[in-house]
């Protein structure tokens, strides 16, 4: 079955740029999507498609894809960006959906 | 703006069946969304359980497929999850989610989640 691999934890200094990566074989047919989750809250979609942001998501969030790696970049990280970030994708051959294990982002 | 609300028992005994319902408002369950269930054990990551289209077509997580049934009730604009033979490992926050699928696939609307504990 398809799997998506994320680093468990990443830290970034306030105002600096951080990239969170997601590796897997599921990106052949669908782009990864990215979710931010803060304690006690439901996940929030931050990036979908090639590099699209839902309404209300700051433009410091961006996404990219290269081969079997999807990336979420936060340019100028803010304290409120702390939380867990999950990637997600659908495998078109099996129609199964997978999540990465999540990356805990700390803003120093 | 689609809104999703989960409902169901917060406590289920081991070996019994967990049953949850998700009420959809602000949109039709017959729209072009896949209606999904995602769960999150305490302190752990997200796990996709399965999904249903308004036509009744379903896809399930292979690791749960033998125990999962997802159904849709168009007359009530809701969909449901049944998970049989539960154990403590099924204790989790269960979310119902609307997924958009076209050239991209993503979960754009989430319920607030409902905690289900499995315990005798």
């Amino acid at each position: 079955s398809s799997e998506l691999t994320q680093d468990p934890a990443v830290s970034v200094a306030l105002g600096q740029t951080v990239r969170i990566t997601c590796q897997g074989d599921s990106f052949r047919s669908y782009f990864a999507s990215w979710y931010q989750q803060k304690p006690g809250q439901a996940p929030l979609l931050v990036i979908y498609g090639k590099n699209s942001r839902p309404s209300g998501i700051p433009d410091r969030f961006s996404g990219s894809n290269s081969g079997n790696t999807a990336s979420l970049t936060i340019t100028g990280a803010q304290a409120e960006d702390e939380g867990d970030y999950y990637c997600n994708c659908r495998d078109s051959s099996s129609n199964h959906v997978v999540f990465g294990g999540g990356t805990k982002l700390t803003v120093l | 703006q689609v809104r999703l609300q989960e409902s169901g028992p917060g406590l289920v005994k081991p070996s019994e069946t967990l049953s949850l319902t998700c009420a959809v408002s602000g949109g039709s369950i017959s729209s072009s969304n896949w209606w999904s269930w995602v769960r999150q054990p305490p302190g752990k990551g997200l796990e996709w359980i399965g999904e249903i289209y308004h036509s009744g077509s379903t896809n399930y997580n292979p690791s749960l497929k033998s125990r999962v049934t997802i159904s849709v009730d168009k007359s009530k604009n809701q969909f449901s999850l049944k998970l049989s033979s539960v154990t403590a490992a099924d204790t989790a926050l269960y979310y119902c989610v609307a997924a958009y699928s076209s050239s991209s696939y993503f979960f754009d609307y989430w319920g607030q989640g409902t905690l289900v504990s499995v315990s005798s």
Side-chain angles (χ1 to χ4, degrees):
Chain A
S1 62
S2 300
E3 292 184 355
L4 298 178
T5 302
Q6 297 182 240
D7 292 328
V10 171
S11 62
V12 61
L14 184 67
Q16 296 304 300
T17 296
V18 62
R19 187 173 68 176
I20 299 170
T21 60
C22 173
Q23 291 187 303
D25 294 330
S26 300
F27 305 138
R28 286 168 293 190
S29 298
Y30 291 99
F31 291 108
S33 53
W34 290 92
Y35 306 85
Q36 175 195 68
Q37 187 178 35
K38 297 182 179 181
Q41 297 183 17
L44 175 70
L45 177 70
V46 295
I47 290 290
Y48 66 95
K50 191 173 183 180
N51 181 20
S52 298
R53 286 174 287 105
S55 174
I57 301 300
D59 61 4
R60 63 179 179 270
F61 289 88
S62 63
S64 62
N65 298 269
S66 178
N68 69 342
T69 301
S71 300
L72 171 70
T73 300
I74 306 174
T75 303
Q78 302 299 303
E80 61 264 31
D81 298 336
E82 275 202 348
D84 296 323
Y85 288 83
Y86 295 92
C87 60
N88 153 255
C89 193
R90 184 191 187 113
D91 186 314
S92 62
S93 60
S94 66
N95 281 331
H96 296 154
V97 177
V98 289
F99 283 97
T103 297
K104 183 176 184 60
L105 175 66
T106 300
V107 180
L108 304 171
Chain B
Q1 177 90 0
V2 174
R3 291 175 297 279
L4 304 170
Q5 180 66 58
E6 305 91 349
S7 62
L11 181 64
V12 181
K13 290 182 168 53
S15 79
E16 296 189 345
T17 296
L18 177 161
S19 296
L20 296 175
T21 296
C22 181
V24 179
S25 58
S28 172
I29 204 157
S30 295
S31 66
S32 56
N33 288 98
W34 283 86
W35 305 98
S36 305
W37 290 96
V38 173
R39 70 180 183 179
Q40 185 171 35
K44 296 188 178 181
L46 302 170
E47 180 181 33
W48 177 72
I49 298 171
E51 62 184 4
I52 190 165
Y53 199 65
H54 62 79
S55 62
S57 180
T58 55
N59 295 301
Y60 297 132
N61 186 323
S63 68
L64 299 169
K65 185 175 182 178
S66 63
R67 299 193 291 130
V68 173
T69 302
I70 297 176
S71 59
V72 64
D73 186 336
K74 289 188 277 188
S75 67
K76 295 182 178 179
N77 217 41
Q78 64 185 33
F79 62 107
S80 300
L81 167 71
K82 290 188 185 299
L83 180 66
S84 64
S85 304
V86 297
T87 69
D90 295 309
T91 292
L93 190 58
Y94 284 77
Y95 294 100
C96 59
V97 197
Y100 177 85
S101 179
S102 177
S103 56
S104 301
Y105 181 93
F106 52 90
F107 295 120
D108 50 356
Y109 298 106
W110 294 69
Q112 65 185 21
T114 187
L115 179 63
V116 179
S117 298
V118 178
S119 175
S120 55

